[in-house]
Each structure stands twice: as structure tokens, then as C-alpha cells.
Amino acid sequence: MLSENVDASVFGIGISFTGVVDPAAHAMLFSSSLPTSSAISLDPLYTAARGVPVVLHNDMHALALRWLMTDPTGGTGDVLLVGLDDGRLGASVLIDGTPHRGSVS
């Protein structure tokens, strides 16, 4: 579906995910949305993008950026957003409006 919609008008593709991804290796390392505990290659998405830049971000970073953009108080650009849902826990830190990827240990 992605490759069918990539044309000259597309300047970037954003992919949001739950879990941890290795952008350099184009792989999702683990996620609550995956049926396996093994890493999954994202190369098919990059191939379908046909050279258009692909941006990978955690879904919580996307939510935090949306909150920052719509904050009626004008926000400072520093945000800690924690999400709790049925079977899911996530967090995002924005420092000066930029997602901080942090580390996994």
C-alpha cells in the first residue's frame, strides 16, 4: 500500500511504533504489537518508500509532540508524557521540543 502512494508529492514518511527500534539496522527489536519476540526487519518499508526519507519515532514521542503543538498555555518545550493503557506502558521526554531517545537497559 505504501509503494502505491509514493509519488513526487511525497516529501517524507513518518512511522510511529510501540516498542524499541534500531533505525540504523532498519529493524524493530521488540514491541507489544509484534507476534514474536524476534527482531523484525523494516527493510520492506524502506524499499516501498523508494528513496523518500523515512522517520521512525516511538508513538509516545508523536503524542508528546502533538501535545506540545496544541498546548494552550504555550508550553516551554520540555515535556514528560507518560501513557498507561490496557497492557501498555510508555513514556516520552521532549527537551526543548525535541524527542530524547534515551536508552534501553
Side-chain angles (χ1 to χ4, degrees):
M1 185 170 70
L2 177 61
S3 63
E4 294 171 2
N5 291 290
V6 174
D7 60 26
S9 68
V10 177
F11 60 88
I13 297 168
I15 300 173
S16 176
F17 56 88
T18 62
V20 176
V21 75
D22 181 346
H26 297 178
M28 187 174 294
L29 303 179
F30 61 89
S31 171
S32 60
S33 64
L34 294 177
T36 178
S37 59
S38 301
I40 301 256
S41 174
L42 300 175
D43 280 332
L45 292 173
Y46 282 84
T47 300
R50 294 189 239 162
V52 173
V54 175
V55 177
L56 299 171
H57 264 292
N58 183 287
D59 63 334
M60 290 301 296
H61 287 324
L63 287 172
L65 286 169
R66 182 186 181 282
W67 179 86
L68 187 62
M69 290 170 33
T70 59
D71 179 15
T73 66
T76 65
D78 295 339
V79 175
L80 168 63
L81 179 68
V82 177
L84 299 170
D85 201 353
D86 187 23
R88 183 172 161 244
L89 168 66
S92 173
V93 175
L94 302 184
I95 300 171
D96 230 2
T98 302
H100 181 66
R101 290 189 186 268
S103 64
V104 175
S105 57

